[in-house]
Amino acid sequence: MTYRSGRHFLQLPGPTQVPGRVFRAMTRAVIDHRGPEFGRMVLGLFEGLKWVFGDPAHVFIFPSSASGCWETALVNTLSPGDHVLLWNNGFFASKWGDFARALGFDVEILEGDWRGPADAETIAARLAQDRERQIQAVLVVHNETSTGVTSDIASVRDALDEAGHPALLMVDAVSSLAATPYRQAEWGVDVTVCGSQKGLMLPPGLGFCAVSEKALDRHREVAPAPRAYFDWTAMLGDNEGGYFPYTPPTTLLYGLEASLAMLREEGADATCARHARLAEATRRAVAGWGLRNYCQDAGAVSNAGTTVMAGEGEDAEAFRLAVLERFDMSLGTGLGPLKGKVFRIGHLGDLNELMLMGALAGVEMGLKTSGITHTAGGLAAAAEFLAEARRP
């Protein structure tokens, strides 16, 4: 491997750059995971996570990716063969449905426009038709990482309430948590799935499942789907004292303690305002280059990442790889049917204005050298916006 000076720009919508403070926290010596010091630390983590998610009844921590928590959400609240309703407007929404189907659940897909958010009216109409209450859960992705589209979860809860439907509301907040306002209790979300490697500024490796009292009651009542490692019952017993029914990833938990402290110090409103500001600068850069944002709903554009369309016949994947090779910056690839048609600019996590401008400069230099059709002015548009934007 050849040495390259400077730092690599990891400009994905996850994993994101890990702050030095988090890495330093992770270098502490491993302690007894059955001892009192560890228990006190984990009980503090639970309280911090409740604050981030918006006051759920409990937050389970699993040593897994967020995909593992897709599974734990389903198998702990549903019975084999149960009917679930999924809004599909992106690669990760579709994949969650694949997980549910593989686990033996009856998955009904409401196909949405990948360039727009979940349609609460369509969900409400389908729930109203379910007079026998066969649908046991509604699955929605809050921020679809593959497309840069954010859905209104409060409106989906309104759809359930309008229909008087008892189904659980399950939400993937993997790329929205700690980047976009998220209020689990206020919005009536029963299960929220998230991972460590995006807004929480950690390396990959921790999955989170934030649950309501209703979800916990359902867990206790249903005929269980097969589960062992991901069983909530075993977790709840040990979690009471700050422990786990297996050997936990202690160093990642040290990092989580540091990241939660950083988010507290910045404040939730300031964190979300920062992400909104950086996202708007990115969108202005994209418009300044004469390129198109994949999201076509101005009210649903993402604060976590912007998905950019290449021109007709142009190869977005070749552009992305050229930027990596020449300027040492990783942009997100197009996923599923979007492969080669889009590239993604991440703007979440441990990021400020100058870091974003460096990333946008890399994109602009890549556009100039790759043959992608564009106009000049994107970088200047972002700089002008950020110079005038005020921090709260």
Side-chain angles (χ1 to χ4, degrees):
M1 180 180 291
T2 303
Y3 168 72
R4 301 187 74 164
S5 60
R7 74 167 178 84
H8 173 69
F9 272 70
L10 186 67
Q11 220 60 42
L12 308 175
T16 62
Q17 293 282 354
V18 177
R21 180 171 166 183
V22 170
F23 273 136
R24 289 190 295 274
M26 293 175 63
T27 64
R28 289 170 49 200
V30 174
I31 59 175
D32 176 11
H33 62 281
R34 303 295 182 197
E37 181 184 354
F38 184 89
R40 288 192 296 270
M41 177 187 72
V42 172
L43 290 176
L45 295 180
F46 288 148
E47 290 306 308
L49 287 168
K50 286 182 180 182
W51 173 75
V52 172
F53 278 93
D55 203 27
H58 188 62
V59 183
F60 294 101
I61 306 172
F62 288 97
S64 74
S65 67
S67 301
C69 287
W70 280 345
E71 179 168 331
T72 189
L74 296 165
V75 299
N76 279 282
T77 59
L78 304 174
S79 298
D82 273 355
H83 190 116
V84 300
L85 184 68
L86 170 80
W87 182 266
N88 180 19
N89 66 331
F91 178 83
F92 290 102
S94 179
K95 195 173 180 182
W96 197 2
D98 292 342
F99 267 55
R101 195 175 294 108
L103 291 166
F105 300 109
D106 178 15
V107 182
E108 178 182 346
I109 305 293
L110 291 179
E111 292 290 354
D113 181 353
W114 280 32
R115 302 186 72 178
D119 186 335
E121 291 185 5
T122 300
I123 294 172
R126 177 63 189 94
L127 292 172
Q129 294 170 359
D130 183 30
R131 295 182 178 85
E132 296 183 0
R133 301 302 191 241
Q134 294 298 307
I135 297 171
Q136 297 299 311
V138 176
L139 280 54
V140 181
V141 173
H142 185 207
N143 186 84
E144 177 54 66
T145 316
S146 66
T147 61
V149 175
T150 303
S151 292
D152 183 348
I153 299 303
S155 71
V156 178
R157 165 47 63 190
D158 290 342
L160 282 149
D161 293 344
E162 177 185 330
H165 205 291
L168 296 172
L169 175 57
M170 298 188 182
V171 176
D172 173 318
V174 176
S175 59
S176 58
L177 193 76
T180 300
Y182 193 81
R183 302 180 178 93
Q184 176 153 347
E186 181 181 329
W187 294 345
V189 177
D190 295 299
V191 181
T192 303
V193 172
C194 193
S196 57
Q197 75 278 13
K198 296 182 188 280
L200 291 175
M201 306 179 292
L202 290 162
L206 292 179
F208 306 97
C209 202
V211 299
S212 69
E213 289 291 355
K214 179 180 175 181
L216 290 173
D217 288 343
R218 186 74 64 87
H219 167 72
R220 298 181 184 106
E221 295 166 359
V222 298
R227 58 180 183 262
Y229 183 77
F230 286 115
D231 182 27
W232 288 358
T233 298
M235 288 284 279
L236 284 167
D238 283 313
N239 282 178
E240 284 187 5
Y243 304 108
F244 296 85
Y246 47 72
T247 303
T250 304
T251 55
L252 278 171
L253 297 176
Y254 290 158
L256 177 60
E257 184 178 42
S259 72
L260 290 173
M262 293 166 70
L263 290 169
R264 284 273 199 183
E265 289 165 17
E266 183 175 26
D269 291 344
T271 298
C272 290
R274 170 171 56 84
H275 281 85
R277 189 167 60 250
L278 300 179
E280 178 61 23
T282 304
R283 291 189 290 269
R284 293 193 183 205
V286 171
W289 292 319
L291 301 177
R292 292 178 294 162
N293 190 330
Y294 185 77
C295 178
Q296 289 298 287
D297 186 328
V301 288
S302 170
N303 285 347
T306 298
T307 299
V308 185
M309 299 176 66
E312 188 67 31
E314 295 180 329
D315 190 342
E317 183 65 5
F319 163 75
R320 189 184 76 86
L321 294 174
V323 169
L324 174 61
E325 173 64 25
R326 181 155 185 181
F327 301 114
D328 199 20
M329 179 169 71
S330 293
L331 299 170
T333 187
L335 297 171
L338 299 183
K339 185 77 170 181
K341 298 178 181 178
V342 304
F343 63 90
R344 297 177 295 143
I345 305 171
H347 35 74
L348 78 161
D350 184 38
L351 190 69
N352 62 23
E353 288 85 350
L354 288 179
M355 294 164 71
L356 178 68
M357 287 302 297
L360 296 178
V363 175
E364 184 159 304
M365 289 188 293
L367 291 171
K368 288 180 178 179
T369 58
S370 68
I372 295 287
T373 303
H374 71 288
T375 57
L379 192 62
E384 181 179 0
F385 170 76
L386 289 174
E388 295 179 355
R390 293 185 178 182
R391 296 190 177 195

